[in-house]
Amino acid sequence: MGPSHPSTHGVLRVVLQLDGETIVKATPYIGYLHRGMEKIAENKTYHQFIPYTDRFDYLAPLSNNVGYALAVEKLLGIDIPPRGQYLRVMICELSRIAAHLIFIGVMAADVGAATVFFLSFQQREYLYDIFEKLSGARFTNSYTRIGGVARDIPDGWIEMVRRFLSTFPRELDDYERLLTRNRIWMERTQNVGVITGEEAKNYGLTGPNLRGSGIEWDIRKAFPYSGYENFDFEIPAGTVGDCYDRYLVRMEEIRQSVRIVEQAIKNLPDGPVNAPEPKIFLPPKQGVLTKMEELIHHFILITESFDAPDGEIYSSIEAPKGELGFYIISTGGKSPYRLRIRSPSFNNLQALPRMLEGRLYSDAVATIASLDPVLGEVDR
């Protein structure tokens, strides 16, 4: 299968050795999308690498930006104000909803339920309208900055999010009515692509693929960041570890994300969104256009960037597909000496042979879809 098969969700090639219709051996081959992101990071300033993070899991770029910015902020030892943290929580959870909507629609289409595909993509478009109003871009947003976010929310943005949240849960109920008790859907996904909790841990699975096997591990709870400890939400988990459980976990995660965003809107603090770090954060645009000192400050940050301290850090977030981590070695200067990325899709694909071998060829489509891989973060 692949690397251009529509059900491989990107340029993934899986060599299947068959005995009749039974899969004897499955070998994933990656590398068709390799762009050398980690090496590029060593030749860019810390700020300049932010747009590249959009291209990892390109279905949740807002979330990727936050993960990278948190890692650099940990290296620099800076915190951002509460309002900036709440905004980051909101965009991360809206990204999770958008990414899971694509998962549901595409997995449903893969097993023949095309209606859900069109319905979920319609809701995703509404979310992209929200992202566009916030960041000016629909797809590769680059909204987060090291030390905060690009700008505070525009007028009317909160109302847009509220309108979406007021109607979206009913749409989610419709997806449940179409899929969850659908006999064909259940037969195509139940007891298919099973991986136990112990095996999932051994393969390094994270996110919904780990939780689908019954392991309630979520970095938002285990190592809270950006104020997640202030939010009330639950961690859904499966029991069998099959494709059906991974679907149910993501459906419930969407509902929990709606809860988190509603709490963030209700308790959104006033105040600045960016850290008071003039040597790290760009000055306001209005000041650059009207004051000489701000113009010089802006010029120096853009041309020379900031000087990071020596150090070695690892920081991770709970991205829609699992643990997205950044390991940075700094020897000072404006660029990392080394940057390595722990992306969930890469680890998830390791478990694919274990899930496929011994199953029927037709199960391969449902199993790959249930892992929800994005090759942008596999081939970094």
Side-chain angles (χ1 to χ4, degrees):
M1 295 178 68
S4 56
H5 190 288
S7 296
T8 53
H9 297 208
V11 282
L12 169 66
R13 180 175 180 238
V14 184
V15 175
L16 300 172
Q17 187 178 335
L18 303 175
D19 179 8
E21 292 202 16
T22 302
I23 299 172
V24 177
K25 186 177 181 182
T27 308
Y29 283 84
I30 62 174
Y32 293 90
L33 198 59
H34 186 54
R35 293 165 292 179
M37 290 288 194
E38 293 169 337
K39 206 64 185 173
I40 289 173
E42 299 168 10
N43 296 283
K44 298 286 182 186
T45 68
Y46 288 96
H47 273 303
Q48 286 174 337
F49 191 63
I50 291 173
Y52 288 87
T53 65
D54 288 332
R55 277 79 177 170
F56 299 155
D57 176 4
Y58 40 78
L59 305 178
L62 288 165
S63 185
N64 303 340
N65 301 158
V66 171
Y68 172 69
L70 282 170
V72 180
E73 288 161 7
K74 184 176 181 180
L75 175 69
L76 298 172
I78 62 173
D79 296 314
I80 69 167
R83 185 176 176 84
Q85 292 189 5
Y86 270 63
L87 288 184
R88 285 185 176 183
V89 168
M90 289 173 71
I91 59 177
C92 282
E93 295 309 316
L94 291 173
S95 291
R96 192 181 317 278
I97 295 172
H100 284 2
L101 281 176
I102 293 174
F103 158 80
I104 293 166
V106 171
M107 182 174 175
D110 281 350
V111 297
T115 303
V116 179
F117 176 86
F118 294 114
L119 293 176
S120 64
F121 267 61
Q122 184 184 43
Q123 295 302 310
R124 178 210 185 204
E125 280 302 303
Y126 295 147
L127 277 172
Y128 275 33
D129 290 342
I130 291 171
F131 297 158
E132 183 178 21
K133 187 172 181 63
L134 178 68
S135 68
R138 297 177 68 80
F139 197 64
T140 47
N141 314 98
S142 297
Y143 175 65
T144 302
R145 297 288 184 272
I146 297 165
V149 293
R151 63 190 72 84
D152 205 341
I153 50 178
D155 293 340
W157 189 76
I158 289 289
E159 285 66 32
M160 280 184 78
V161 178
R162 279 203 182 104
R163 277 199 300 275
F164 172 76
L165 297 180
S166 67
T167 58
F168 175 64
R170 290 197 296 275
E171 296 288 332
L172 209 54
D173 292 341
D174 287 341
Y175 307 163
E176 291 258 34
R177 277 190 284 274
L178 286 167
L179 288 179
T180 303
R181 304 306 301 171
N182 182 306
R183 187 175 182 83
I184 299 173
W185 174 259
M186 293 168 70
E187 291 188 355
R188 289 295 307 272
T189 58
Q190 286 186 331
N191 295 311
V192 172
V194 176
I195 186 163
T196 66
E198 194 61 30
E199 289 173 329
K201 284 196 290 184
N202 291 339
Y203 277 106
L205 302 193
T206 54
N209 294 324
L210 176 66
R211 293 189 284 273
S213 297
I215 308 295
E216 295 183 13
W217 173 260
D218 190 312
I219 295 174
R220 293 172 297 174
K221 291 279 191 182
F223 302 102
Y225 55 91
S226 293
Y228 267 108
E229 65 274 16
N230 301 319
F231 292 86
D232 180 27
F233 63 99
E234 296 168 7
I235 303 173
T239 53
V240 179
D242 55 9
C243 296
Y244 190 71
D245 271 351
R246 292 189 279 277
Y247 153 74
L248 290 178
V249 164
R250 288 186 174 91
M251 289 295 282
E252 183 56 29
E253 284 191 3
I254 291 176
R255 297 187 190 281
Q256 296 300 321
S257 292
V258 170
R259 281 182 65 192
I260 294 172
V261 176
E262 287 174 341
Q263 292 172 56
I265 291 175
K266 183 180 178 184
N267 302 315
L268 183 63
D270 293 327
V273 294
N274 298 320
E277 300 284 350
K279 292 187 177 179
I280 294 171
F281 203 84
L282 290 172
K285 187 77 171 182
Q286 187 61 30
V288 175
L289 296 174
T290 56
K291 297 176 183 175
M292 179 59 74
E293 295 80 6
E294 302 282 19
L295 179 62
I296 294 171
H297 177 194
H298 184 276
F299 177 78
I300 291 174
L301 266 181
I302 291 295
T303 54
E304 300 179 9
S305 191
F306 53 80
D307 192 16
D310 292 0
E312 191 172 334
I313 64 101
Y314 177 77
S315 174
S316 61
I317 66 164
E318 188 67 34
K321 292 173 175 56
E323 179 177 353
L324 174 64
F326 294 88
Y327 172 60
I328 299 175
I329 298 178
S330 169
T331 55
K334 60 184 180 182
S335 308
Y337 173 70
R338 288 286 183 270
L339 183 141
R340 294 290 180 267
I341 303 158
R342 194 276 183 206
S343 59
S345 291
F346 179 77
N347 287 62
N348 292 341
L349 276 182
Q350 294 181 98
L352 189 60
R354 168 70 187 82
M355 294 173 167
L356 288 184
E357 287 166 9
R359 300 295 310 183
L360 294 175
Y361 174 69
S362 58
D363 293 338
V365 170
T367 304
I368 293 172
S370 75
L371 286 176
D372 193 22
V374 161
L375 274 293
E377 65 174 19
V378 173
D379 297 340
R380 298 176 302 277

